[in-house]
Each structure stands twice: as structure tokens, then as C-alpha cells.
Amino acid sequence: MLMTGLIKNSRVTHLDLAHNKVTNHGVRLLSKLLGMGSVMTSLNLADNQIHAEGGRYLGRVLRANESLIELNLRLNRLADEGGRMLLDGISGACRISHLNLAGNSLAAKSVTALARILSTDVNLLHSLDLSCNAFTEEGMDEIAMALRNNKILTSMDLRMNRADADYFAAHTGICSILRQNELNALHTAGP
């Protein structure tokens, strides 16, 4: 019922369905809302029991989506494969600038897909929450390497991942790049 109304409505730009057990089936239906001609700019699907299959549905539709700017998928169960498929979709023509993937059990495959996004000059990500996932020291190093030429990302949360104290150098490098990007953005914006 809700989806029927939303698909016909061209005025809803923000949708918050957090904590509603949307599941993969609901994401499949929602993907129709995010297709060509979508006006949706913000979508909150936090804590909705969305698994890898839901990540695949979202990844497919985000390849062609030109309206979504903010996507919150924290506390779902995308796992590494679902995260990879979602991020592969975002690497297309997507305009997402704020992405929250905290608490999704993302790991090495997701890091590789994310690194591809962060290292391209067409990426629009300004803030990224990757806390409470399963990134290792190697993953942190891969993210740090991808950020070397990134001039856009200004905020990244990497707390509570599996990397231990040995990732200090990568973490310091990431923080330095993000701070420089933030200062550049302030300088460009002017007084």
C-alpha cells in the first residue's frame, strides 16, 4: 500500500523507514522508487534486517540513480558480499555524498569496492560511516592508499573495526587526508 502511493508521488524527497523490518523483499520494492526519474534525495533504512540480497537490489538501482544524496543502511546485515554489490552500484553515476554502512559486517571485498570509489575523481562522497565492521589492518591500508588522491571526503568513521593498534600509520594517514580535504573545502567556500 505504502509503495503504491510512493511510486506515484513525485514530491517525497526524504524517506525514513528505520527500524521497520523492511527486509530484502521491501528493498526490492523500494528499488522501483529509486529508478529513473526518482526525486528521492535521502533514504534511511537503518536497522531493517537487510541482507546481501538487499545490497544487490540497491546496487543495481543506484547505478542509474541520479537523485539520492544520502543513504543510511547502518545496523543491517549486508555482510561482505552485499556491501561489495552495493558499493559496486555506487561507483557508477551515483551522486551519494553521505553514506552510512556502520554495523554491516563488511570486510575485504567491500574494502576493495570502496577503494575503487574513493580513488576516482568522479566520487562525490563527503562523509562515510564504516564503524563496527570487520576491516583489518590490510583493509585500512587499502583505504589509506585509495584516499591519497581524494579531495572530497572530509569525514570517515572507522571505529570498532577488527584492525588492532598496528593500523596506527594507516589511521594517521587517513586522518591527515580528511583534515586537508576539510581545510580545502573551507578555503574554497570562502568567508
Side-chain angles (χ1 to χ4, degrees):
M1 179 85 122
L2 175 66
M3 283 305 300
T4 304
L6 285 173
I7 288 174
K8 294 178 182 178
N9 186 333
S10 61
R11 294 180 181 213
V12 176
T13 58
H14 299 274
L15 185 59
D16 187 342
L17 294 173
H19 317 291
N20 274 293
K21 296 183 182 178
V22 169
T23 71
N24 296 327
H25 178 70
V27 168
R28 186 172 60 94
L29 295 173
L30 273 171
S31 66
K32 294 174 182 166
L33 178 65
L34 297 170
M36 295 296 285
S38 172
V39 296
M40 186 71 55
T41 60
S42 177
L43 180 59
N44 185 351
L45 294 174
D47 191 19
N48 269 297
Q49 300 177 9
I50 299 168
H51 299 115
E53 184 181 354
R56 180 170 45 106
Y57 293 137
L58 286 170
R60 282 182 186 166
V61 74
L62 290 175
R63 283 192 171 100
N65 180 285
E66 296 181 354
S67 65
L68 197 64
I69 295 170
E70 183 175 355
L71 178 60
N72 185 346
L73 287 166
R74 79 181 164 84
L75 299 176
N76 280 289
R77 297 172 178 92
L78 292 176
D80 200 24
E81 188 63 22
R84 181 197 59 79
M85 290 184 285
L86 172 76
L87 291 164
D88 283 347
I90 290 174
S91 68
C94 195
R95 294 182 46 206
I96 290 180
S97 61
H98 305 285
L99 180 61
N100 188 337
L101 295 175
N104 271 288
S105 300
L106 306 182
K109 292 177 186 176
S110 298
V111 167
T112 300
L114 177 64
R116 277 194 301 272
I117 293 169
L118 295 175
S119 63
T120 64
D121 55 356
V122 293
N123 124 65
L124 298 175
L125 282 173
H126 290 276
S127 68
L128 185 57
D129 189 342
L130 300 168
S131 59
C132 302
N133 280 295
F135 298 156
T136 62
E137 295 85 15
E138 293 81 12
M140 297 293 188
D141 287 340
E142 191 171 351
I143 290 170
M145 291 290 289
L147 283 172
R148 285 191 172 168
N149 294 317
N150 184 295
K151 305 292 183 221
I152 296 172
L153 192 69
T154 57
S155 173
M156 180 185 285
D157 190 345
L158 291 167
R159 292 174 296 151
M160 308 272 308
N161 274 284
R162 290 194 177 153
D164 60 22
D166 291 339
Y167 86 98
F168 180 76
H171 184 264
T172 302
I174 291 169
C175 289
S176 176
I177 291 167
L178 296 178
R179 181 66 181 144
Q180 187 60 52
N181 289 352
E182 184 178 25
L183 291 172
N184 290 343
L186 290 171
H187 177 71
T188 304

